[in-house]
Amino acid sequence: MTVTTSLVSEIVRAANSLPKLPSGERRRLLERGVTASGALRRLLVITGKIAPFDESAERVIDDMARSIEKMSDETVAKALLALAGQIRTLRILNREPVRHPSKVFAKDLDSDVGSSGPSTS
């Protein structure tokens, strides 16, 4: 299991047993998740891939972590699950190879043209 997968598992387990977690642990998990999400998103950008998320969700969750004592269990659980989903998605996208637009375009043209040449209908 990778470090990222372990973090996602830990976040999901915490969301499912939230009433047992003290505020400090909730804050720590949210902060770790925000850090991981930001790093994975930046890695996508560095490698030339399109990041499906911007930092706005991370800012909101970071604000929640700072005022964790005021947040309801349900709000924190939803934030943890959303963060786990985002981290998982970013991890998957980072594992996919980079597809260059020119190669994608050429491939799409080949599939439209087919083996018998362009259609004349």
Side-chain angles (χ1 to χ4, degrees):
M1 190 181 293
T2 67
V3 173
T4 306
T5 305
S6 294
L7 177 60
V8 169
S9 296
E10 185 179 352
I11 290 172
V12 170
R13 273 193 305 274
N16 289 329
S17 60
L18 201 62
K20 299 176 187 175
L21 288 179
S23 296
E25 181 67 15
R26 295 176 186 198
R27 178 182 296 112
R28 187 183 69 79
L29 276 173
L30 288 171
E31 290 170 347
R32 284 179 55 208
V34 166
T35 300
S37 176
L40 289 167
R41 184 179 35 76
R42 284 188 296 280
L43 185 58
L44 277 177
V45 172
I46 289 169
T47 57
K49 299 176 185 174
I50 297 172
F53 307 104
D54 62 12
E55 64 274 356
S56 62
E58 294 160 8
R59 281 195 305 262
V60 169
I61 293 173
D62 191 47
D63 288 343
M64 287 178 63
R66 291 179 200 184
S67 57
I68 196 74
E69 293 81 14
K70 299 176 187 175
M71 300 294 153
S72 70
D73 286 354
E74 183 179 355
T75 301
V76 175
K78 287 181 179 180
L80 285 168
L81 292 173
L83 196 53
Q86 182 168 318
I87 292 168
R88 181 179 172 275
T89 299
L90 291 169
R91 179 186 142 301
I92 291 167
L93 291 173
N94 271 304
R95 294 183 72 182
E96 291 182 354
V98 176
R99 294 179 66 187
H100 297 285
S102 60
K103 291 181 182 178
V104 172
F105 181 70
K107 179 182 165 209
D108 290 343
L109 280 179
D110 290 343
S111 65
D112 288 343
V113 172
S115 59
S116 61
S119 66
T120 55
S121 50

